Amino acid sequence: MQYDTMMDGEFKEDFGPKIQVSAADKIHVDFELSNVDLSLANSLRRTVHAEVPTIAIDLVEIEANTSVLADEFISHRLGLIPLDSREIEQLNYSRDCDCDDHCGRCSVTLTLHAKCTSDEVMKVYARDLVVGFDRPNSHIGNPIITDPDGFGSLICKLRKNQEVRINCIAKKGIAKEHAKWSPTAAIAFEYDPHNKLHHLDLWYEQDPESEWPKSKYAELEEPPTEGQVFDYDAVPSKFYFEVEGVGSIDSDMIVLEGVKELQKKLAGLIHGLGENDGMGGEFDGPRSPGGDGQPWQDQGYTTPYGNAGGASAWGGGGAATAYGTTPYGDSGATGW
């Protein structure tokens, strides 16, 4: 098999982005991203945090609410309940759906009806939400319940004879529109744990080493030696991520979906830059006058239609109208 000899030796290990996962479970994933630029690593972090689509309650219709909480307060709490977003690609964005308002192809319906009939305080949890049947699959839109008791998020508390009766519509969206669609609770992002690049100016009183303890990733890189000459051309190449999800999507799938979304954005950018020249490498879009070395207009007194500056798009030197004469006589003549 023919292959490039430059891929041999140490260069083979440093070619292209590299991801090494150090820990992972359903909610958390820790990994190291290397052989990339700082801008790309930060772009991945921002994309994972804000542009991975999920499903969340977007519309709330309150038929009855006699609790002590206002309608808007309960609606806000409902919107922040994480919902199962696995296989979210089977659900359409409401703006892309052919329906008038919402349907089973672009939304999931949830209902809540609770009434306290005893003297004790009644707690209403996410488990009390009833999910409708009209949805792409059997799990999308289900409330995420991770606590050992299986209750889920607390929605409200009711006293005797208090009642809530609510209809909810969950839709697909991204955290750039609203934080309720975020698949993550937090994303930790770190590089250069020894601060050899001096990107951080550490404030201290006596000793920065004792007042600023090193992170756990400092053990993975060599510390600077005493008297080491500072390299002004050095750039970070290893980045440490800690992703904490909310349970709507598995932690590893959050990262993979973020990579997919970033690829889509880059592909759209490349297509937009090259659609006018067939990807030939030269951009032939709109240019400013003289931008290509040739005058865009002749001496500044002609229009793009080729007529003299004194002429309209209909013909002759501007003295004639589109109908040849004015209502008062020949073109250019007065009505007297």
Side-chain angles (χ1 to χ4, degrees):
M1 179 180 295
Q2 298 292 331
Y3 65 95
D4 193 347
T5 55
M6 292 184 62
M7 294 298 293
D8 290 339
E10 298 180 356
F11 185 80
K12 181 177 181 180
E13 297 181 358
D14 297 335
F15 185 76
K18 180 181 179 182
I19 293 180
Q20 182 176 357
V21 178
S22 57
D25 56 30
K26 187 176 178 61
I27 301 297
H28 302 83
V29 59
D30 301 344
F31 64 93
E32 172 190 324
L33 177 63
S34 57
N35 296 338
V36 298
D37 188 73
L38 173 60
S39 60
L40 179 59
N42 191 49
S43 297
L44 177 61
R45 179 190 66 84
R46 294 171 61 92
T47 304
V48 169
H49 196 59
E51 300 197 37
V52 174
T54 62
I55 184 174
I57 293 176
D58 190 43
L59 300 176
V60 178
E61 179 186 1
I62 298 181
E63 297 181 0
N65 176 26
T66 56
S67 69
V68 297
L69 299 181
D71 295 353
E72 295 81 4
F73 197 98
I74 294 180
S75 300
H76 183 263
R77 295 181 66 87
L78 289 170
L80 295 179
I81 295 176
L83 304 180
D84 196 331
S85 301
R86 292 174 296 168
E87 301 180 3
I88 190 66
E89 64 276 0
Q90 298 182 9
L91 194 69
N92 298 328
Y93 285 102
S94 57
R95 58 178 177 268
D96 298 332
C97 193
D98 297 332
C99 62
D100 295 332
D101 186 16
H102 65 275
C103 65
R105 298 188 303 272
C106 65
S107 63
V108 176
T109 302
L110 300 94
T111 57
L112 174 64
H113 185 200
K115 184 176 182 180
C116 180
T117 58
S118 65
D119 294 331
E120 298 181 357
V121 175
M122 177 182 179
K123 297 181 179 180
V124 182
Y125 294 95
R127 67 173 184 177
D128 299 320
L129 289 167
V130 180
V131 185
F133 296 100
D134 190 11
R135 49 180 174 166
N137 51 58
S138 60
H139 55 77
I140 191 169
N142 291 336
I144 297 298
I145 300 176
T146 58
D147 59 293
D149 297 328
F151 293 151
S153 304
L154 178 64
I155 299 176
C156 65
K157 297 179 181 180
L158 302 177
R159 295 290 295 190
K160 187 175 182 179
N161 296 327
Q162 290 183 345
E163 177 186 11
V164 290
R165 189 164 61 251
I166 304 173
N167 298 320
C168 308
I169 299 175
K171 295 185 177 182
K172 181 179 179 180
I174 59 177
K176 185 181 289 187
E177 303 174 27
H178 195 282
K180 64 185 176 183
W181 278 298
S182 178
T184 60
I187 300 179
F189 174 72
E190 181 184 356
Y191 65 91
D192 189 23
H194 293 287
N195 196 27
K196 293 187 292 185
L197 301 177
H198 295 178
H199 286 185
L200 293 178
D201 186 10
L202 303 178
W203 181 91
Y204 63 93
E205 293 182 348
Q206 296 179 353
D207 182 19
E209 294 296 330
S210 60
E211 298 176 19
W212 291 89
K214 302 294 183 183
S215 69
K216 62 181 180 180
Y217 299 109
E219 303 175 357
L220 304 179
E221 295 189 12
E222 293 292 333
T225 59
E226 185 177 356
Q228 181 178 353
V229 179
F230 180 73
D231 185 4
Y232 289 91
D233 297 326
V235 294
S237 59
K238 290 185 178 181
F239 306 92
Y240 306 98
F241 286 80
E242 295 182 8
V243 179
E244 178 183 354
V246 298
S248 58
I249 306 177
D250 293 340
S251 58
D252 57 341
M253 292 303 301
I254 295 177
V255 179
L256 293 178
E257 290 298 325
V259 172
K260 291 181 181 178
E261 292 298 324
L262 185 58
Q263 288 176 331
K264 292 179 182 178
K265 293 172 70 69
L266 294 176
L269 176 62
I270 294 174
H271 177 73
L273 293 176
E275 63 181 356
N276 292 327
D277 62 335
M279 302 301 289
E282 295 183 358
F283 181 67
D284 194 22
R287 301 178 180 178
S288 60
D292 55 352
Q294 300 295 330
W296 179 57
Q297 295 180 351
D298 294 334
Q299 308 303 320
Y301 55 81
T302 58
T303 66
Y305 298 98
N307 299 317
S312 67
W314 304 99
T321 66
Y323 302 97
T325 59
T326 66
Y328 300 98
D330 294 337
S331 176
T334 64
W336 307 101

